[in-house]
Amino acid sequence: MQSTEQASNPVGARIHAAPASFWDALPRPIIGLAPMDGVSDHPFRHIQAAHGRPDVVYTEFTRVEGICRARQITVLENFLYSEIQRPVIAQIYGVDPEAFRQTAILVCQLGFQGVDINMGCPSKNVAGGGAGAGLIQTPGLAQEIVRAVRAGVSAWANGATVRDCPSIHPNIAGEVERRSAKLPPAARLHRAIPVSIKTRIGYDAPVVEEWIPALLETEPAAIALHGRTLSQAYRGRADWTSIARAAELAQGTPTLILGNGDLASRNEGVARVVEYGLDGALIGRAALGNPFVFQTAPLSVPDMRLGPIAMEHGYLFEATFRHAKRYHFPPMRKHLNAYARRMGMPVPQRVKLLQSKSPQEAEAVLRAFADFRP
Ligand SMILES: Cc1cc2nc3c(=O)[nH]c(=O)nc-3n(C[C@H](O)[C@H](O)[C@H](O)COP(=O)(O)O)c2cc1C
């Protein structure tokens, strides 16, 4: 176990000695980009990394049972990333420990620096089947899953590859090998990567007192804690007092605690980390249409720097997905809407922007707006 020193750095966050993973090498406090299904795809993460520079990014979550059943390589779409996103963590979810073990090997082979287990998703499709936040009710299974992921990571470190995973189809294994061959040499090394968890403070009521110690027993590298229960979904305000209690419980353990919920800026994140004695924080929704959320200088409103970024995002979205069987531009519209709102684009123009079917059409609307402004 590593030793933990209290409050001996300028912002009062905990410092962990003996660097063992990328987490330990990150500046404190750590302010990262939270995973968001349907949002945090490769183009979004790339734009955030290029213009905002979050300290760490997570992919959208991917179901391990899906990885182990699939024949089509589209199942690996969530695991696309670019080098500038590093450190980048793959987030996975599910209920079957053996599928977690095999997927952990795949994640390692794809060159990710960390693997994160989702124990926080409240959706009926996920939690209803016992995965995501459903695991808060089955701490024994949650622990078994962490250990299975670690077993996969150890197997990789000892030379295993996707070809040693009986449930991973040869099509998928072949695609993993193709991507892996393009990685920089350091990312191809058979090295153990840290296992982390993202969760909530409880199922229908906060249970930090029991839930966090159960997770700490498995010694994850980090726990990112969203300050809401499953029942709350996204209602009410995040409970940062429960997050602070989790940090107290983690004192003297090797596990970092990152708070999450309702942060509007990096500065607000840093203030919470200091106030509640955390190691860092994750920002989710506030990053939509706003990579500058990770910078210390606040966004000016309206901020016209977002116009060219929106265009760059649209073209990267097309370049990333245009070869996919079911490619279409509409999933990009939520990002365009977010950029446009922050640029103060009037509703009629925004409506036009949201009807665009290609990055070229989006660019035309964005340029007309930018040119129109003094
Ligand atoms: C659209 C959307 C998708 C999300 N998908 C994920 C996910 O795939 N994995 C995960 O751990 N959390 C997911 N979350 C939760 C966020 O990571 C985060 O915990 C939550 O939004 C609270 O942080 P915020 O207030 O900064 O947005 C999602 C949230 C949103 C809004």
Side-chain angles (χ1 to χ4, degrees):
M1 264 204 197
Q2 297 160 19
S3 63
T4 303
E5 298 165 32
Q6 174 64 38
S8 53
N9 68 349
V11 294
R14 295 183 299 151
I15 296 176
H16 291 251
S21 75
F22 81 86
W23 286 109
D24 301 285
L26 289 179
R28 298 292 192 270
I30 301 161
I31 306 291
L33 174 63
M36 286 179 286
D37 185 40
V39 176
S40 307
D41 55 11
H42 155 58
F44 177 76
R45 281 181 265 117
H46 182 91
I47 292 292
Q48 296 286 327
H51 300 283
R53 308 214 154 279
D55 295 323
V56 58
V57 308
Y58 295 67
T59 67
E60 301 165 83
F61 68 170
T62 297
R63 185 159 200 127
V64 293
E65 292 85 358
I67 294 278
C68 290
R69 248 193 323 259
R71 289 162 173 261
Q72 304 294 327
I73 61 167
T74 44
V75 76
L76 297 177
E77 217 165 58
N78 290 349
F79 291 154
L80 293 169
Y81 66 92
S82 51
E83 286 301 312
I84 65 162
Q85 291 168 37
R86 292 187 182 281
V88 53
I89 300 175
Q91 195 190 58
I92 54 181
Y93 75 102
V95 285
D96 175 9
E98 176 53 17
F100 270 102
R101 190 189 69 82
Q102 295 184 36
T103 303
I105 295 175
L106 177 144
V107 163
C108 290
Q109 195 163 351
L110 286 173
F112 285 97
Q113 274 136 307
V115 55
D116 187 81
I117 306 164
N118 179 301
M119 300 192 186
C121 180
S123 114
K124 280 213 175 75
N125 291 339
V126 174
L135 288 167
I136 300 172
Q137 289 192 307
T138 52
L141 176 59
Q143 290 181 330
E144 198 186 331
I145 286 172
V146 180
R147 292 181 180 125
V149 170
R150 192 163 289 124
V153 167
S154 299
W156 161 260
N158 289 318
T161 72
V162 278
R163 296 290 176 183
D164 301 305
C165 298
S167 307
I168 293 182
H169 191 270
N171 285 352
I172 307 299
E175 175 65 9
V176 169
E177 285 166 349
R178 267 188 296 281
R179 290 191 196 176
S180 162
K182 293 186 195 149
L183 292 170
R188 291 208 301 268
L189 294 176
H190 281 260
R191 246 193 331 226
I193 61 172
V195 179
S196 57
I197 296 165
K198 183 163 174 290
T199 188
R200 289 180 176 245
I201 55 173
Y203 194 88
D204 37 30
V207 288
V208 163
E209 223 58 57
E210 301 82 38
W211 175 229
I212 297 301
L215 295 179
L216 291 172
E217 273 178 33
T218 66
E219 299 197 356
I223 298 174
L225 193 56
H226 178 189
R228 289 187 176 86
T229 62
L230 169 141
S231 311
Q232 276 180 290
Y234 293 90
R235 288 184 296 276
R237 301 296 297 167
D239 168 7
W240 283 78
T241 312
S242 288
I243 297 172
R245 180 63 190 138
E248 278 172 18
L249 293 166
Q251 284 289 344
T253 76
T255 303
L256 307 177
I257 301 290
L258 311 181
N260 168 243
D262 305 332
L263 295 176
S265 68
R266 179 186 174 87
N267 294 345
E268 197 183 331
V270 171
R272 292 287 167 97
V273 168
V274 173
E275 183 177 353
Y276 296 115
L278 314 173
D279 298 286
L282 298 183
I283 300 179
R285 290 165 293 178
L288 244 119
N290 180 17
F292 302 128
V293 78
F294 291 104
Q295 301 198 337
T296 39
L299 189 79
S300 50
V301 182
D303 197 317
M304 299 311 286
R305 291 175 300 172
L306 293 173
I309 292 176
M311 290 180 214
E312 183 189 347
H313 192 162
Y315 282 104
L316 181 58
F317 182 87
E318 184 186 60
T320 304
F321 298 120
R322 79 172 154 233
H323 300 299
K325 256 192 210 140
R326 289 188 301 269
Y327 169 68
H328 60 149
F329 195 64
M332 180 61 212
R333 291 177 182 163
K334 57 180 154 315
H335 298 287
L336 293 173
N337 192 34
Y339 290 118
R341 278 173 175 274
R342 297 189 198 275
M343 284 192 291
M345 187 182 278
V347 172
Q349 267 172 301
R350 231 166 61 212
V351 168
K352 226 173 140 200
L353 183 67
L354 296 189
Q355 287 164 351
S356 53
K357 296 184 206 62
S358 67
Q360 291 78 8
E361 283 182 28
E363 175 174 1
V365 183
L366 287 160
R367 282 202 187 280
F369 173 60
D371 292 348
F372 167 79
R373 290 184 63 83

